[in-house]
Amino acid sequence: MHEIARLRVLNSYVDAVTFQSSLDAAVALAKDRATTSYVVAINPEKIMIAQREPFIANFIERADLLLPDGIGVVVAAKWLCGKRLERTPGADLAEALIRVSGEQGLDVFLFGASEPVNSATAREMRNRYPNARIVGRRNGYLSANEYDALVEQINSSGANVLLVALGSPKQEEWIATYGERLNVGLCMGVGGAFDTYAGAVKRAPRVWQNARLEWLYRLLCQPRRLWRQRRIFLFAARVLLAKISRAFSRPAKPE
């Protein structure tokens, strides 16, 4: 796998990848069972949470692949680092891993969400991609004393890829706690992706996605998200201040 440049955005990080290069990297990591690597989708909300949650900040820093999931992160990387990134949504990468699992010889395990959503996700992915190798699944409604058995189930399945849909920060906490006991090559937290795969939550139409306004579509459809989405505006303000600060701190050109 080629070395990927890691950029610092505010107090966090993101990798300089395109969608294709991130998929190539994820496939390579999944095939390497020597250690369990993990992927984190980076968006403005996660960066702002990392500022006040040392665990999340450390989890991001130790990740093997950091996706530029949000358009705000893509813009910030251009403004603050001079790098042009391609928005790479975690939900799209996870689906792509399922799509190529047959041709790449990867076995996938789905963990998280409710039982109806989890089972519908497996069914929908098999319908979309008949060659997909989904070798196991388990919903996320488990008690802590059931996790040892879950780890055994995942390892016994022979999965290369584990997709964890528990929401943040629960999925990061689970991966940090149990990751070293897994025999999978790649572990990836996917938040609410199973809900969109299963059709329980409608994703923004492609025109909104192409216009980089998926976040606004979600906000219009779910106004109750406004308080949560305030972090996007705080992130934008921080990036703008950092850009202005750098502009004024540049040494004057000699006459």
Side-chain angles (χ1 to χ4, degrees):
M1 185 176 70
H2 296 297
E3 190 69 24
I4 295 174
R6 180 152 293 184
L7 311 177
R8 186 175 180 88
V9 175
L10 298 182
N11 68 326
S12 194
Y13 301 91
V14 67
D15 289 339
V17 292
T18 63
F19 185 86
Q20 186 60 51
S21 67
S22 68
L23 178 58
D24 293 342
V27 168
L29 292 170
K31 290 181 176 180
D32 182 4
R33 292 178 179 274
T35 185
T36 297
S37 301
Y38 64 95
V39 180
V40 180
I42 301 298
N43 54 38
E45 182 179 9
K46 189 149 287 182
I47 289 179
M48 296 305 294
I49 291 174
Q51 293 195 44
R52 58 179 176 79
E53 297 288 348
F55 165 75
I56 294 296
N58 182 255
F59 189 85
I60 290 172
E61 190 169 352
R62 292 187 296 109
D64 299 275
L65 183 61
L66 299 175
L67 308 176
D69 179 88
I71 187 59
V73 174
V74 172
V75 173
K78 181 69 170 64
W79 280 17
L80 302 180
C81 307
K83 296 289 186 179
R84 188 181 298 277
L85 307 186
E86 180 181 325
R87 181 172 177 256
T88 305
D92 290 353
L93 179 64
E95 182 173 349
L97 283 169
I98 296 173
R99 172 173 54 81
V100 304
S101 62
E103 64 189 69
Q104 293 291 339
L106 300 177
D107 292 331
V108 182
F109 194 102
L110 309 177
F111 167 45
S114 67
E115 175 59 24
V117 167
N118 187 286
S119 61
T121 294
R123 184 168 57 251
E124 176 63 20
M125 290 295 103
R126 288 184 176 117
N127 287 338
R128 291 185 196 178
Y129 313 111
N131 294 326
R133 295 171 54 158
I134 298 175
V135 296
R137 65 174 192 84
R138 190 73 181 271
N139 70 64
Y141 286 77
L142 305 177
S143 61
N145 59 14
E146 295 179 279
Y147 285 150
D148 288 340
L150 172 63
V151 169
E152 178 60 31
Q153 180 185 356
I154 294 169
N155 289 339
S156 297
S157 74
N160 302 83
V161 177
L162 172 64
L163 303 181
V164 183
L166 298 179
S168 186
K170 187 176 180 180
Q171 62 195 20
E172 288 84 8
E173 292 169 352
W174 192 92
I175 293 169
T177 302
Y178 295 95
E180 292 185 355
R181 296 171 51 187
L182 296 170
N183 294 333
V184 302
L186 184 70
C187 193
M188 180 177 177
V190 296
F194 289 3
D195 293 283
T196 60
Y197 299 160
V201 173
K202 185 179 179 182
R203 192 171 178 186
R206 183 62 63 179
V207 64
W208 287 75
Q209 295 179 43
N210 292 341
R212 302 177 176 181
L213 293 173
E214 192 169 2
W215 64 274
L216 180 58
Y217 179 87
R218 291 198 302 268
L219 188 59
L220 292 173
C221 292
Q222 299 175 290
R224 65 180 182 277
R225 293 173 59 94
L226 181 59
W227 177 248
R228 175 180 170 183
Q229 297 287 50
R230 74 193 187 282
R231 297 191 183 100
I232 292 178
F233 303 103
L234 292 173
F235 174 82
R238 287 286 307 275
V239 170
L240 182 59
L241 288 173
K243 177 69 173 177
I244 293 172
S245 176
R246 291 187 182 189
F248 279 100
S249 64
R250 290 175 184 167
K253 293 182 180 180
E255 296 182 0

